[in-house]
Amino acid sequence: KAGVTQTPRYLIKTRGQQVTLSCSPISGHRSVSWYQQTPGQGLQFLFEYFSETQRNKGNFPGRFSGRQFSNSRSEMNVSTLELGDSALYLCASSWGTGDSEKLFFGSGTQLSVL
Amino acid sequence: GENVEQHPSTLSVQEGDSAVIKCTYSDSASNYFPWYKQELGKRPQLIIDIRSNVGEKKDQRIAVTLNKTAKHFSLHITETQPEDSAVYFCASGGGGNKLTFGTGTQLKVEL
């Protein structure tokens, strides 16, 4: 069974640009969550999608957005990039029972903003 | 919102010794407490989790204990091995997959 796949693995952007990251969950998983990982702040929750709807949202500005498609694949978008957005962006999939459950993480997209 | 504190930030033990990592949480509505292990350059992987209706859970050399009254939970690794060297994160959740993570513990197991 294939794991969670994230593309691309690495991205380099400049301030003010926008970026789109992609996540394909494990087959059968309907929930996709996104986390930002930085050395200083650790892992911080961005949002969760289930059945194409945002089910939970963290405390990030509106520049961070996401969506989920009917096949459960998800994308997140960051507009007007800032230097502080440099981070490893991890997505995680799960069955989506509604309870907190085991998350399967992807390898992440390492975003560098210059 | 929820806050999770994790200690220590670094931990060095001799091979074969035990390691203990402690976390505290603030939201009494939290009911799910997972622990993730992240090796250098790799993805976080769940190693054990516990729900609030259970006080202790074991899986071979790994155990987690939960004290709901004190809002503490701990990870215990016995008979540590070099392959246990990694960063360990505790987390708490209260429904859905919005987890609040601790800041991580760098565990080093020395030969």
Side-chain angles (χ1 to χ4, degrees):
Chain A
K1 202 173 191 181
V4 179
T5 304
Q6 290 188 247
T7 56
R9 269 302 265 129
Y10 302 94
L11 266 178
I12 300 175
K13 294 286 187 180
T14 56
R15 279 182 299 174
Q17 288 187 311
Q18 75 164 18
V19 66
T20 299
L21 314 181
S22 180
C23 174
S24 293
I26 290 171
S27 178
H29 284 187
R30 296 174 64 193
S31 168
V32 174
S33 304
W34 290 88
Y35 286 82
Q36 181 195 65
Q37 185 173 25
T38 58
Q41 300 294 322
L43 286 119
Q44 293 189 291
F45 175 78
L46 282 153
F47 27 66
E48 177 194 4
Y49 284 87
F50 176 79
S51 290
E52 302 178 65
T53 301
Q54 188 179 85
R55 186 157 70 174
N56 272 305
K57 188 177 187 305
N59 298 321
F60 278 81
R63 300 184 298 106
F64 292 82
S65 63
R67 60 178 175 167
Q68 187 181 36
F69 302 95
S70 58
N71 61 358
S72 294
R73 189 177 71 85
S74 178
E75 290 181 347
M76 68 164 279
N77 183 276
V78 188
S79 61
T80 319
L81 283 166
E82 300 178 0
L83 295 178
D85 297 334
S86 295
L88 179 66
Y89 291 88
L90 293 161
C91 85
S93 77
S94 67
W95 295 108
T97 61
D99 289 332
S100 296
E101 57 190 350
K102 178 177 181 177
L103 300 182
F104 293 82
F105 282 91
S107 296
T109 294
Q110 183 67 55
L111 172 64
S112 297
V113 182
L114 306 177
Chain B
E2 169 72 305
N3 183 49
V4 175
E5 294 190 2
Q6 182 172 348
H7 299 283
S9 57
T10 60
L11 179 59
S12 186
V13 300
Q14 294 293 315
E15 183 181 7
D17 286 349
S18 296
V20 180
I21 303 170
K22 299 183 178 182
C23 290
T24 60
Y25 62 98
S26 61
D27 189 350
S28 56
S30 294
N31 57 17
Y32 177 67
F33 306 94
W35 286 87
Y36 283 83
K37 174 184 179 182
Q38 187 174 28
E39 296 177 52
L40 189 62
K42 298 197 174 178
R43 67 191 76 190
Q45 291 192 299
L46 181 80
I47 55 171
I48 195 166
D49 57 6
I50 192 169
R51 295 192 185 271
S52 58
N53 58 348
V54 175
E56 184 175 1
K57 184 176 179 181
K58 281 186 179 180
D59 182 3
Q60 298 184 333
R61 296 186 297 110
I62 294 172
V64 57
T65 59
L66 171 64
N67 182 329
K68 284 169 50 182
T69 304
K71 296 190 186 136
H72 288 172
F73 58 113
S74 300
L75 176 71
H76 304 252
I77 305 174
T78 59
E79 300 172 23
T80 53
Q81 301 167 6
E83 52 265 39
D84 294 329
S85 295
V87 179
Y88 291 81
F89 293 95
C90 63
S92 73
N97 290 323
K98 180 178 181 179
L99 298 180
T100 301
F101 281 83
T103 49
T105 296
Q106 174 73 62
L107 173 65
K108 183 177 180 182
V109 180
E110 298 176 332
L111 297 171

